[in-house]
Amino acid sequence: MSSLFFGQRTATISIDNVMQTMDGFGGSDAWRCQFVGKNWPQQKKDAIADLLFSKEIDAQGNPKGIGLSIWRFNLGAGSMEQGENSKISDEWRRSECFLNADGTYDWSKQEGQRWFLQAAKKRGVEKYLIFTNSPPVFMTNNGLAFSSQKNKLNLKEGALPKFADFLVKSIQGLEKKEGIKFDYVSPINEPQWEWMANNGDKNSQEGTPATNEEIFNLTKALSDKLKSQKMSTEIVLAEAAQINYLYENVNGENRDNQIDYFFGNSKNNISKLPNVKNVILGHSYFTTWPVDKQVLSRKLIAASVKQKPGLKYWQSEYCILENPGEAEIPGGAGGGRDLGMQTALFVARLIHNDIALANAASWQWWTSLTRVDYKDGLIYLDDGKSNGGTAPDYVRNDGNFHDSKLLWALGNYSLFVRPGMQRVDVPNQDELGSANDVMLTAYKDIQNKKLVIVAVNCGKSAQKYKFDLTKGTVKKNELTPYITSENTNLKRADIQKIDAVEIPAKSVVTFVGELQ
């Protein structure tokens, strides 16, 4: 049979060799959802929400959206209410706070983001994560949502219990008002950066540094509060600004080596605390290029996580900040939006390596919507006359929106690889060589008897494969492909036989079969 397929390759899929259980794929509502959700016309908001959250399949068998399974809600610190006095230069990067100065709560705040929460719930998003970049401005050392001190949590002396209380009350208040239970709370974000004024006396967004010890103390206080309120929300740490802060000593500032610090043999091990999830969160920024660095750093995380029984890894924030050059992506860097396939493949390769090499159980994108001329969104907003803008009123009340190939390439994973599915081994892949060729991951859904294979082909030519399953067969030996390429968005193609599949050049393909 295979002699008919010149140059056909065989890939083994070890159905019985489980690598990790997946926790889902996500995106965040920061910051643009606050204006879009509040001001934009209903019809457009619904169309945007469909692209992000819908799991529906149309009459032709094509998906309507990418079915994200995790939605990240940015709990604001109150820089929006401060206006210009917040010293956060871009109004669109300020955020409202449910807590008022007098200690009361106002659940009508964050209206646009709450609209998206409801839109996610309506479309069946399974998991919700609430994260904050700074304590409320009433509790910070300097009364601002960014820091004035290096390497120190921007929180008044003795205010830890208050901050923990704010997090708990916000989760409870949103559950009561919106009917949404937050599965996860992430109380600290990128503690390795200083988050100090970087433009005169201004900063561009909310943020605070924190040492490992401060993060531990906050986690302890928050854990106690969640337990005493009999809540099921789990704390997830530590949104490391770069993944190497998780597994090595970077600069001796007590903000690194976080896997060992929080999950090692020390008094600061948090894995036994109530309401703490046994997972460590890192951001893939600045470690993705060149490819050999991408591969090596991800193997180093996996090795480090593996030493801690039961510990998992999540890649919880990414958009392109690197400069891989013109040959790799249009514009050569994060600047300049690109709705096309080249950027999608750059990110799909990373998703693959984060899952296959770093063993990430979850992969989450940074800003789901963007209005700037930058590669930081899944959906791009503009005024129809330009590729994006930063003026305060630019697309504040209405505008055009555009899906991107990046959105659909993420959908090749997010729509099909659902929480609870298990990744199974596809052995003997050449990690470096396949990065510019075909990369394969496979997943099984025991409950629904499904096999999902995601192929990323960064190469310039189509490739023919025979998938060889150990310990399992697929019904009728048939797989249904969904293809994202320069001219298709997760389009369902003709059924293929498992021993004769084709993966088009420069495409991401998800193959779905029924396990017998």
Side-chain angles (χ1 to χ4, degrees):
M1 176 82 192
S2 61
S3 61
L4 294 174
F5 296 100
F6 178 70
Q8 188 191 45
R9 305 167 171 185
T10 299
T12 303
I13 295 171
S14 305
I15 296 281
D16 47 339
N17 190 6
V18 173
M19 309 308 285
Q20 77 254 46
T21 298
M22 303 304 290
D23 291 319
F25 291 80
S28 118
D29 69 1
W31 296 284
R32 291 78 184 217
C33 288
Q34 59 184 329
F35 289 113
V36 175
K38 188 174 177 173
N39 305 331
W40 275 43
Q42 185 74 27
Q43 207 182 340
K44 289 184 183 174
K45 294 195 295 198
D46 276 326
I48 287 170
D50 281 343
L51 285 171
L52 291 170
F53 308 129
S54 177
K55 293 184 264 192
E56 269 181 65
I57 304 285
D58 71 15
Q60 285 72 51
N62 299 315
K64 203 167 158 182
I66 67 160
L68 292 176
S69 46
I70 299 173
W71 187 237
R72 296 176 61 95
F73 180 92
N74 181 19
L75 181 64
S79 52
M80 184 66 86
E81 293 88 337
Q82 292 179 314
E84 290 299 303
N85 295 335
S86 67
K87 298 189 176 164
I88 289 174
S89 40
D90 181 354
E91 196 177 326
W92 280 63
R93 289 183 175 210
R94 299 173 194 158
S95 64
E96 290 180 349
C97 188
F98 292 123
L99 180 62
N100 299 315
D102 63 3
T104 60
Y105 282 80
D106 178 355
W107 303 112
S108 71
K109 299 261 189 83
Q110 299 202 231
E111 185 188 336
Q113 292 168 257
R114 288 188 295 104
W115 185 90
F116 273 92
L117 266 185
Q118 287 304 330
K121 183 184 168 189
K122 236 184 244 145
R123 289 162 181 82
V125 173
E126 289 97 328
K127 304 280 182 189
Y128 297 88
L129 182 152
I130 195 165
F131 73 101
T132 185
N133 295 327
S134 161
V137 290
F138 322 114
M139 299 178 194
T140 60
N141 263 321
N142 56 3
L144 297 172
F146 62 91
S147 197
S148 310
Q149 284 175 289
K150 271 186 189 304
N151 204 5
K152 183 168 175 24
L153 184 61
N154 188 19
L155 188 66
K156 284 179 184 153
E157 205 58 47
L160 256 187
K162 268 192 179 141
F163 183 26
D165 198 48
F166 163 72
L167 291 165
V168 167
K169 283 209 167 78
S170 296
I171 293 165
Q172 289 174 322
L174 280 168
E175 186 179 342
K176 212 167 159 180
K177 177 153 177 64
E178 305 298 327
I180 284 173
K181 241 181 152 68
F182 280 92
D183 303 85
Y184 313 114
V185 55
S186 169
I188 228 85
N189 179 60
E190 300 190 339
Q192 292 84 8
W193 301 152
E194 298 302 354
W195 302 111
M196 290 166 72
N198 56 11
N199 172 18
D201 62 348
K202 293 184 167 61
N203 199 324
S204 59
Q205 70 178 85
E206 298 180 346
T208 178
T211 62
N212 287 341
E213 188 183 2
E214 289 170 325
I215 297 169
F216 174 80
N217 292 334
L218 174 58
T219 304
K220 181 87 181 69
L222 182 54
S223 164
D224 292 344
K225 276 230 155 63
L226 288 166
K227 188 190 175 195
S228 72
Q229 294 291 307
K230 300 186 168 53
M231 290 163 72
S232 61
T233 307
E234 293 181 296
I235 303 164
V236 293
L237 295 182
E239 310 268 5
Q242 282 179 204
I243 56 178
N244 56 322
Y245 285 107
L246 294 176
Y247 59 78
E248 66 186 10
N249 181 342
V250 180
N251 49 19
E253 289 183 343
N254 305 314
R255 296 187 270 183
D256 43 23
N257 254 330
Q258 290 186 307
I259 291 171
D260 257 355
Y261 188 92
F262 294 113
F263 296 97
N265 300 326
S266 76
K267 63 181 195 316
N268 306 314
N269 186 314
I270 58 171
S271 64
K272 300 283 181 284
L273 293 178
N275 294 76
V276 169
K277 188 168 176 66
N278 211 0
V279 64
I280 191 103
L281 279 58
H283 298 174
S284 271
Y285 298 121
F286 307 116
T287 54
T288 65
W289 195 257
V291 170
D292 56 352
K293 179 181 176 180
Q294 180 177 139
V295 166
L296 176 65
S297 52
R298 273 141 197 86
K299 289 167 93 167
L300 289 169
I301 299 182
S304 192
V305 168
K306 207 175 182 167
Q307 289 167 7
K308 316 293 179 216
L311 183 62
K312 296 178 91 168
Y313 170 62
W314 285 5
Q315 192 296 120
S316 57
E317 189 182 312
Y318 184 72
C319 69
I320 298 172
L321 300 182
E322 287 82 353
N323 307 307
E326 271 293 348
E328 199 56 31
I329 49 175
R337 84 175 187 193
D338 172 46
L339 306 176
M341 205 56 210
Q342 207 49 41
T343 296
L345 287 168
F346 182 84
V347 175
R349 173 201 286 139
L350 174 64
I351 299 174
H352 169 87
N353 282 330
D354 278 335
I355 293 172
L357 303 184
N359 283 329
S362 175
W363 203 92
Q364 300 162 28
W365 180 259
W366 174 218
T367 51
S368 300
L369 311 182
T370 185
R371 64 172 195 140
V372 293
D373 190 10
Y374 204 91
K375 298 175 182 68
D376 62 340
L378 301 173
I379 295 170
Y380 288 77
L381 316 174
D382 65 39
D383 61 359
K385 300 190 276 283
S386 63
N387 274 354
T390 53
D393 286 332
Y394 187 84
V395 303
R396 180 191 287 257
N397 299 310
D398 196 1
N400 300 338
F401 65 93
H402 311 272
D403 55 351
S404 63
K405 292 294 174 183
L406 200 166
L407 170 90
W408 295 109
L410 173 58
N412 277 94
Y413 291 93
S414 58
L415 185 63
F416 301 97
V417 182
R418 308 307 298 179
M421 285 173 72
Q422 296 175 324
R423 180 172 80 87
V424 297
D425 194 21
V426 184
N428 310 319
Q429 292 189 74
D430 166 9
E431 292 141 353
L432 272 176
S434 64
N436 291 304
D437 189 47
V438 176
M439 296 166 271
L440 300 167
T441 48
Y443 312 83
K444 65 177 175 185
D445 178 340
I446 295 170
Q447 226 179 337
N448 301 304
K449 295 207 158 50
K450 260 196 198 128
L451 173 68
V452 172
I453 300 162
V454 184
V456 180
N457 185 357
C458 290
K460 293 185 174 73
S461 47
Q463 298 294 345
K464 291 182 162 62
Y465 271 83
K466 173 189 179 182
F467 293 141
D468 192 6
L469 269 49
T470 62
K471 301 271 166 98
T473 53
V474 167
K475 202 171 171 183
K476 293 189 187 163
N477 281 326
E478 288 180 348
L479 297 174
T480 304
Y482 295 83
I483 302 172
T484 300
S485 64
E486 201 54 76
N487 38 23
T488 59
N489 297 328
L490 269 194
K491 190 172 167 48
R492 190 180 80 169
D494 293 338
I495 286 172
Q496 299 185 9
K497 291 292 185 191
I498 197 162
D499 58 0
V501 304
E502 182 155 328
I503 301 158
K506 299 204 170 297
S507 73
V508 187
V509 186
T510 304
F511 296 95
V512 182
E514 233 179 293
L515 279 174
Q516 283 184 309

